[in-house]
Amino acid sequence: MRVVIGSDEQGMELKDTIKSYLIDEGYEVVDKSEQAASDFVESTLAIAQDLLKDEDSLGIEIDGYGAGSFMAATKVKGIIAAEVSDERSAFMTRKHNNCRLITLGSAVTGPILAKNIVKEFLQAGYDGGRHQVRVDMLNKMA
C-alpha cells in the first residue's frame, strides 16, 4: 500500500518516526515534506493533491495539534479527512467514512500511540454499503 505523509516543523520528529515504522512494515512511503513545510497548509495540500491523483493511496499529516491540518484538508473537494488521537477513531473513520487522510498532533500524540493509530487506520478497509450514502454526501461538499 502507498502512504503519503507530510508535516510542518512541529510535526517533523513524529513524521520521521512514523515514516520509519511504515518502511519497516513494508509500506511504500511518499514523503511530501523531506524538509519541513513552512506551514501545515502547504504540506496538507501536497498530500491531498497526491491522494486525488491516486485513489488507492492513504495519507497522514502531522502538525502540532492536528486541528489545523484537518481544517485545511476538509477544504479540498473529494478529500475526507479526520483528526484522530486514538486507535478506535482511526479504524472507524476509515471503515465507515472511507477517510483517506488522517491528521495527528505531535504535541498531543506520542510515538507509540501514533504508530498504533497509523496501524489501525491502514489495516481498516472501507465497508461501503449503507455508509456510501454518507460518503457521497461528504464528497459533494467543500
Side-chain angles (χ1 to χ4, degrees):
M1 175 184 290
R2 184 173 180 271
V3 181
V4 185
I5 63 172
S7 72
D8 64 2
E9 184 62 40
Q10 281 187 291
M12 281 299 283
E13 186 176 340
L14 185 58
K15 182 208 59 146
D16 289 339
T17 298
I18 291 170
K19 180 179 178 179
S20 294
Y21 166 74
L22 291 170
I23 291 169
D24 290 347
E25 293 295 313
Y27 290 96
E28 176 188 351
V29 178
V30 177
D31 188 344
K32 291 295 185 176
S33 50
E34 292 281 342
Q35 302 295 318
S38 59
D39 191 275
F40 62 78
V41 174
E42 177 186 336
S43 53
T44 304
L45 290 177
I47 294 169
Q49 290 166 353
D50 189 297
L51 295 178
L52 290 173
K53 292 176 187 172
D54 185 341
E55 292 186 18
D56 294 328
S57 296
L58 296 176
I60 302 163
E61 167 67 8
I62 301 107
D63 66 17
Y65 295 94
S69 296
F70 167 74
M71 289 184 267
T74 60
K75 300 294 183 193
V76 179
K77 187 170 182 68
I79 294 294
I80 298 175
E83 175 188 354
V84 295
S85 57
D86 67 273
E87 299 95 328
R88 185 68 177 160
S89 295
F91 181 83
M92 292 307 294
T93 197
R94 178 79 187 116
K95 197 140 187 83
H96 285 187
N97 301 318
N98 200 21
C99 175
R100 296 191 46 229
L101 171 60
I102 58 170
T103 65
L104 302 171
S106 62
V108 294
T109 308
I112 294 171
L113 178 57
K115 288 178 197 176
N116 289 335
I117 288 169
V118 166
K119 176 183 174 185
E120 292 298 318
F121 175 64
L122 297 177
Q123 286 182 351
Y126 174 51
D127 278 349
R130 67 183 177 91
H131 305 292
Q132 189 60 46
V133 172
R134 179 176 44 242
V135 169
D136 290 343
M137 291 167 148
L138 290 169
N139 281 325
K140 287 180 185 175
M141 300 172 73

